[in-house]
Amino acid sequence: MVTIKSLIIAYGLALLPVLVSSSPIVPRYFHRILYSRDNITATTVKNELGRQLSNGSLILGPDNALYPNATERWKTRITPNARVVVQPAAESDLAQIVKYCNDNSFDFLVKNRGYGTTDSLSTFSGIEINVEMLKGVTVHPAEKTATLQAGPIIGDVVNKLWDQGFVARAGYNFGIVTSVVEKIYPRENWYQKTYTWTQDKLETVFEALNTFHKSANGTTPPRMGVNYGSIVINTSISTTEAVLELPSPISSVMTLDYNVTTQRTLYNLFNQKIAAYPEIIPSGYLWHEGYSTAGVQAIPSDSTAYPHREQNHLLVFFSEIPEGSNLADAAEAWAVENRKLWNEGQPERQPQTYVNYAQGKDYETLESIYGYEPWRLEKLRSLKAKYDPTNRFRFFEPVVLKNGTAY
């Protein structure tokens, strides 16, 4: 169901999206002079593409009852214009859809669950490739691997692997991922616990977390998995003072350590803001993520384009407000203030932005997302020039800009 909510977010670190499909035939879009077609309708696409797709594939226009769910996004402030939705029933359909879009100069955007908070997504207008039907998860016990198609969500993967005695690691990739082979590991017992503390324990909690996240030879213990936490109003405890909860939802920058003094300042600011804007109480929270980092940090930072291996924590501010609310500016200002405080709490470090929570704002530089060393963006741009010379994949924090925007 499409909700009438939008999210305000303050931002942090960076991972990597994108992948490129290719064809042995040079499509028209590689030609220097592009032609354009304005007649993108479901009827047109069905007539021209439908016969090339597998049985069960869907082609939807805005008047189709399935269209709202197919285009629903996690953050409804982000509004890509999906003029037509194509849902492939088979992995092999993806190359056919991309070739059709390229041959006809139709922009395309791949969607699974609709995550992504950056304004650059709202510049899209064209054909949405919705991969939600490609849910295959195939376990290969002898090889200790699993093949995942493009569409399974976390629950699909976890349930399938858990039932067969495995768990998996996951990652991000560079383009359209039609399927991926992941290494999997024998299942072990896991312990999950939720704790709630009142504000007088704030310093003790964050000091303990700093110690814990360096307790395995300077890194987070690999067997920890993940911890989440938030500064949030829990009305069963108080309606005026926030509490600390582990776990809960999210908030944004990257840090090596929690600056305990900054965390206290953020907590006090949180209470001030909810007193001024009580309508934000149900959805406003400061979110903290910590993951096991030993494996990530074991890889030399200069061996890949990924820039943020030394970071231990991902911090984000979320506020969910009704569309059209007069609180949008206030929530945005609060988000920026939180981000500023977090960054000031680590003055020796440059701001770093997590690509999945990036907003596409002027203060989020590409360097903060993809790394400050010049060779990192140079490497990504050289790959773009080789595999995507006309910048077809440009709607999610694009690395190639013209006059400050994707083109």
Side-chain angles (χ1 to χ4, degrees):
M1 171 183 285
V2 177
T3 65
I4 57 168
K5 300 287 188 178
S6 63
L7 295 173
I8 299 292
I9 195 174
Y11 346 84
L13 162 69
L15 297 172
L16 229 58
V18 279
L19 222 268
V20 180
S21 290
S22 61
S23 168
I25 300 173
V26 178
R28 293 186 200 124
Y29 93 85
F30 277 109
H31 298 176
R32 285 301 166 197
I33 299 176
L34 299 180
Y35 77 100
S36 63
R37 291 179 57 185
D38 295 325
N39 59 330
I40 311 179
T41 67
T43 299
T44 298
V45 177
K46 284 178 183 177
N47 291 338
E48 297 178 351
L49 176 65
R51 288 170 295 181
Q52 303 174 47
L53 302 181
S54 303
N55 290 336
S57 297
L58 300 176
I59 297 175
L60 313 173
D63 58 347
N64 191 292
L66 300 176
Y67 179 89
N69 282 340
T71 56
E72 182 182 13
R73 298 199 66 83
W74 177 59
K75 183 176 181 182
T76 56
R77 185 181 65 83
I78 303 304
T79 55
N81 179 18
R83 298 170 67 181
V84 176
V85 175
V86 181
Q87 286 188 307
E91 188 176 314
S92 58
D93 293 328
L94 288 167
Q96 294 294 333
I97 300 168
V98 171
K99 182 179 183 300
Y100 171 76
C101 292
N102 288 341
D103 285 349
N104 291 278
S105 293
F106 294 153
D107 283 333
F108 57 89
L109 180 69
V110 178
K111 174 185 177 289
N112 185 359
R113 303 308 297 172
Y115 286 93
T117 63
T118 177
D119 289 345
S120 60
L121 287 166
S122 296
T123 67
F124 169 77
S125 180
I127 293 178
E128 174 193 298
I129 305 173
N130 185 302
V131 297
E132 291 181 14
M133 288 200 291
L134 303 179
K135 291 183 175 292
V137 178
T138 304
V139 178
H140 314 287
E143 293 82 10
K144 294 185 179 179
T145 62
T147 301
L148 316 179
Q149 286 192 311
I153 59 176
I154 291 174
D156 298 329
V157 177
V158 170
N159 291 337
K160 183 68 174 284
L161 296 183
W162 190 263
D163 289 344
Q164 298 196 30
F166 291 97
V167 294
R169 300 171 63 90
Y172 292 80
N173 297 271
F174 191 67
I176 296 179
V177 180
T178 60
S179 64
V180 62
V181 177
E182 285 281 353
K183 187 175 181 181
I184 58 179
Y185 301 84
R187 189 184 72 193
E188 298 178 343
N189 291 327
W190 289 82
Y191 174 78
Q192 180 178 345
K193 183 71 175 178
T194 298
Y195 298 93
T196 301
W197 294 279
T198 52
Q199 61 85 20
D200 56 303
K201 304 297 191 300
L202 184 147
E203 284 78 9
T204 301
V205 169
F206 282 105
E207 286 169 357
L209 286 170
N210 280 337
T211 299
F212 174 74
H213 281 284
K214 292 185 176 180
S215 62
N217 297 318
T219 68
T220 304
R223 302 172 76 87
M224 184 276 294
V226 61
N227 65 53
Y228 298 128
S230 61
I231 294 175
V232 65
I233 287 289
N234 183 329
T235 55
S236 68
I237 298 174
S238 173
T239 59
T240 59
E241 286 194 352
V243 297
L244 283 68
E245 291 194 341
L246 297 175
S248 195
I250 316 181
S251 180
S252 188
V253 293
M254 291 304 290
T255 65
L256 287 175
D257 299 292
Y258 291 119
N259 184 314
V260 177
T261 301
T262 296
Q263 292 299 124
R264 171 58 69 180
T265 302
L266 287 160
Y267 175 87
N268 292 338
L269 178 65
F270 188 98
N271 285 337
Q272 293 169 21
K273 293 294 185 180
I274 61 173
Y277 308 108
E279 300 94 331
I280 295 179
I281 287 176
S283 64
Y285 50 91
L286 294 165
W287 178 251
H288 304 72
E289 294 182 1
Y291 299 92
S292 55
T293 54
V296 172
Q297 294 176 358
I299 299 173
S301 179
D302 60 359
S303 66
T304 71
Y306 179 67
H308 303 293
R309 296 186 181 279
E310 78 282 9
Q311 302 295 339
N312 290 325
H313 308 301
L314 173 58
L315 315 176
V316 190
F317 167 72
F318 276 144
S319 177
E320 189 174 342
I321 58 174
E323 289 184 357
S325 168
N326 61 5
L327 293 177
D329 289 345
E332 176 71 24
W334 184 9
V336 172
E337 194 169 357
N338 286 327
R339 184 178 190 273
K340 181 173 181 288
L341 286 169
W342 270 318
N343 284 324
E344 287 177 347
Q346 46 178 7
E348 72 286 355
R349 304 186 61 76
Q350 295 171 301
Q352 302 192 44
T353 304
Y354 174 45
V355 71
N356 276 9
Y357 301 149
Q359 299 290 285
K361 306 299 184 183
D362 291 342
Y363 50 77
E364 294 173 345
T365 65
L366 285 180
E367 287 76 13
S368 75
I369 297 173
Y370 296 114
Y372 287 93
E373 301 96 322
W375 67 266
R376 295 189 185 277
L377 272 169
E378 290 170 3
K379 182 175 183 178
L380 294 177
R381 286 168 176 159
S382 68
L383 292 171
K384 289 287 286 184
K386 180 178 180 180
Y387 294 109
D388 187 18
T390 53
N391 204 20
R392 299 287 277 167
F393 294 90
R394 65 182 185 276
F395 298 107
F396 197 103
E397 292 301 321
V399 297
V400 179
L401 303 175
K402 182 182 290 185
N403 299 324
T405 60
Y407 67 95

